């Protein structure tokens, strides 16, 4: 669901965030549909947004999802390292916040609250709060 975007994020911030998100989606081997859903965008918007020179904006929710994705990515790299860190989101998981599903599917289905649960879960695995 795409709401009217506010200009609360600078063009440079949006550009950097979308580039980082696109790189993560590629490393995680997400389909265009999965990446778009993860960012809460239509596939056509994601296809435009991932290209250099995109001049559109993102909603606050989309920026929060992108930011949380970067945090999840970093946590996975710190905790698991390669190659598991890049495969982890696509593997069925018996952890308490996944119920046997792939983390990517729970993020897409449950939205921003799940992004936060996953971040907290990974922080706890790494010995955080």
């Amino acid at each position: 669901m795409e709401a009217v975007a506010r200009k609360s994020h600078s063009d440079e911030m949006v550009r950097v965030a979308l580039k980082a998100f696109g790189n993560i989606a590629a490393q995680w081997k997400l389909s265009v549909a999965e990446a778009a859903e993860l960012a809460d965008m239509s596939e056509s918007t994601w296809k435009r947004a991932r290209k250099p020179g995109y001049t559109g904006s993102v909603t606050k929710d989309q920026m929060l999802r992108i930011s949380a994705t970067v945090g999840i990515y970093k946590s996975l790299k710190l905790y698991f390292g390669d190659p598991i860190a890049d495969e982890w989101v696509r593997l069925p998981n018996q952890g308490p916040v996944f119920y046997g599903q792939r983390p990517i599917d729970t993020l897409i289905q449950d939205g921003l609250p799940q992004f936060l649960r996953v971040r907290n879960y990974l922080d706890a695995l790494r010995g955080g709060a």
Side-chain angles (χ1 to χ4, degrees):
M1 174 192 298
E2 292 179 36
V4 175
R6 295 184 200 106
K7 275 304 215 181
S8 60
H9 306 295
S10 73
D11 292 341
E12 179 68 5
M13 184 186 298
V14 170
R15 186 189 67 73
V16 169
L18 289 171
K19 182 177 180 179
F21 182 80
N23 289 338
I24 292 168
Q27 279 200 279
W28 286 354
K29 296 182 174 81
L30 301 182
S31 68
V32 170
E34 288 171 326
E37 288 180 287
L38 193 62
D40 195 28
M41 297 178 180
S42 67
E43 284 186 47
S44 60
T45 299
W46 172 239
K47 286 177 184 177
R48 287 190 311 275
R50 67 184 184 164
K51 293 180 182 175
Y54 176 70
T55 58
S57 56
V58 296
T59 65
K60 183 177 180 181
D61 182 73
Q62 290 166 332
M63 187 60 87
L64 287 171
R65 286 167 171 261
I66 291 168
S67 175
T69 300
V70 171
I72 290 167
Y73 172 83
K74 285 181 172 183
S75 290
L76 290 170
K77 289 291 186 180
L78 288 170
Y79 188 71
F80 293 112
D82 294 326
I84 293 295
D86 292 333
E87 297 170 4
W88 186 86
V89 295
R90 292 178 283 106
L91 299 172
N93 193 310
Q94 294 301 321
V97 298
F98 307 109
Y99 307 104
Q101 295 181 315
R102 300 181 323 153
I104 189 67
D105 295 330
T106 68
L107 291 167
I108 290 169
Q109 291 165 7
D110 299 337
L112 197 51
Q114 181 69 351
F115 281 79
L116 301 177
R117 284 189 290 269
V118 172
R119 282 289 313 271
N120 289 335
Y121 174 78
L122 292 170
D123 287 345
L125 287 179
R126 290 190 310 114

